Amino acid sequence: MHSNVNELFENLWQNYLEVTPSAKRVHQLLGSSQQADIINDHIALRTFNLEKIGLEKLAAHFKAVGYEECGEYHFEAKKLYAKHFEHPDRNQPKVFISELLLEQCSEQLQQIVGELVAQIPDEAVTADNFLYSGTHWSVDHASYEKLLAESEYAAWMAAWGFRANHFTVSVNALENFETLEQVNQALKDGGFLLNTSGGEIKGSKEVLLEQSSTLADLITLQFSDGPATIPSCFYEFARRYEVAPGILYTGFVAASADKIFESTNAR
Ligand code: OOG
Ligand code: NI
């Protein structure tokens, strides 16, 4: 496991860029005319709730660099459970980790996922690079399609594995934008497609958090039986409101997160 938080995030970022070429353009669009670097509000990772690779196994890598558990979230319809983590250094991104609750899924899904996960060497899970190690298997089209029919989340995991599923621009820290509406407009003017599930803006000032996101990039993946172009990763934008003077809300909003997950849906 990493012991340096910046090193961990630098690796996660480079790995994310490999399958999310649009992220560079997002930075150019929003950050090119500001002095400071773009600040990331949070990142998110996904997994399955199997003992070998469950949420806690991913969390251990963040705890090793100082992160602490801060909140939990339930997504009944999507059969997901999540926790978020924060670092004592407020400038470090928050971390949102979710897991698919396999016992609530079909036997077929459990069997496909079980076969993929069985191919992960035990030692890979604690290795420095686990959080950006991608897949430890190769999956065929038919299995991907079967997963997709039941759980978009499961299909995404089978295709992309362990990596940051998105980074999130802190709108509060942008110098040239005040509102999320302004950011969304700049993105649309720049040709980006936004996730419109639940509206372009999820959340509100009342729940202390507004979020929007791009639709995931479309990337050609080599399946075991040939290539196909599928959604990879996306970029999110978050504006937080104060809970007290000078203190921003740091949690997540389950109803909004439920829609953000859909940024990787097929289109
Ligand atoms: C995570 C979706 C939730 C948020 O900020 O509410 C989320 C995911 O798509 O894996 O990122
Ligand atoms: Ni997010």
Side-chain angles (χ1 to χ4, degrees):
M1 295 195 197
H2 282 280
S3 52
N4 181 310
V5 62
N6 295 320
E7 224 172 83
L8 172 59
F9 278 101
E10 180 55 25
N11 279 287
L12 283 161
W13 173 250
Q14 292 303 332
N15 171 256
Y16 165 78
L17 285 183
E18 283 172 21
V19 297
T20 324
S22 70
K24 283 231 159 112
R25 286 206 297 120
V26 167
H27 274 208
Q28 280 161 11
L29 200 71
L30 301 181
S32 61
S33 53
Q34 70 179 49
Q35 298 292 315
D37 285 344
I38 295 251
I39 301 276
N40 281 302
D41 176 271
H42 70 268
I43 67 163
L45 295 96
R46 300 176 172 181
T47 191
F48 299 110
N49 75 334
L50 294 169
E51 179 60 30
K52 189 175 180 181
I53 52 145
L55 193 165
E56 296 302 335
K57 294 289 161 64
L58 277 63
H61 288 261
F62 289 103
K63 289 178 178 170
V65 294
Y67 276 82
E68 289 159 17
E69 189 178 316
C70 289
E72 62 164 6
Y73 311 88
H74 297 271
F75 304 93
E76 272 175 38
K78 290 187 172 66
K79 300 171 179 159
L80 300 172
Y81 173 69
K83 286 183 178 177
H84 100 264
F85 301 82
E86 296 177 25
H87 197 276
D89 174 356
R90 294 261 159 247
N91 288 323
Q92 294 296 347
K94 288 170 269 298
V95 173
F96 183 96
I97 308 176
S98 58
E99 63 182 9
L100 180 63
L101 306 174
L102 290 173
E103 68 281 4
Q104 296 179 22
C105 300
S106 71
E107 289 294 329
Q108 176 182 259
L109 184 147
Q110 293 187 46
Q111 198 197 329
I112 295 172
V113 168
E115 283 171 18
L116 299 180
V117 171
Q119 296 174 57
I120 307 173
D122 286 330
E123 60 280 11
V125 181
T126 50
D128 276 6
N129 73 347
F130 179 58
L131 297 179
Y132 46 94
S133 60
T135 54
H136 301 253
W137 53 74
S138 82
V139 64
D140 59 86
H141 277 107
S143 301
Y144 176 78
E145 290 295 334
K146 280 180 202 159
L147 295 177
L148 194 58
E150 181 172 343
S151 164
E152 181 281 329
Y153 183 105
W156 187 92
M157 266 307 291
W160 303 108
F162 304 98
R163 57 174 64 248
N165 151 281
H166 60 275
F167 275 70
T168 307
V169 171
S170 166
V171 173
N172 301 70
L174 290 176
E175 291 168 14
N176 300 309
F177 298 86
E178 177 78 14
T179 68
L180 195 54
E181 284 85 351
Q182 290 167 354
V183 168
N184 286 351
Q185 193 57 52
L187 291 164
K188 287 188 284 184
D189 291 346
F192 287 94
L193 296 177
L194 298 181
N195 170 354
T196 56
S197 177
E200 276 181 9
I201 296 184
K202 294 114 181 74
S204 62
K205 185 170 197 264
E206 285 62 44
V207 297
L208 305 172
L209 176 60
E210 290 177 340
Q211 294 163 277
S212 65
S213 59
T214 62
L215 286 179
D217 283 3
L218 296 176
I219 296 289
T220 302
L221 181 76
Q222 297 301 325
F223 287 86
S224 59
D225 49 352
T229 301
I230 60 167
S232 59
C233 301
F234 59 92
Y235 222 130
E236 185 188 317
F237 311 90
R239 181 181 183 191
R240 294 184 181 273
Y241 290 87
E242 290 177 328
V243 286
I247 303 181
L248 296 177
Y249 176 64
T250 59
F252 289 79
V253 175
S256 303
D258 189 64
K259 306 299 180 208
I260 297 280
F261 279 114
E262 296 172 21
S263 308
T264 53
N265 279 8
R267 52 172 148 129

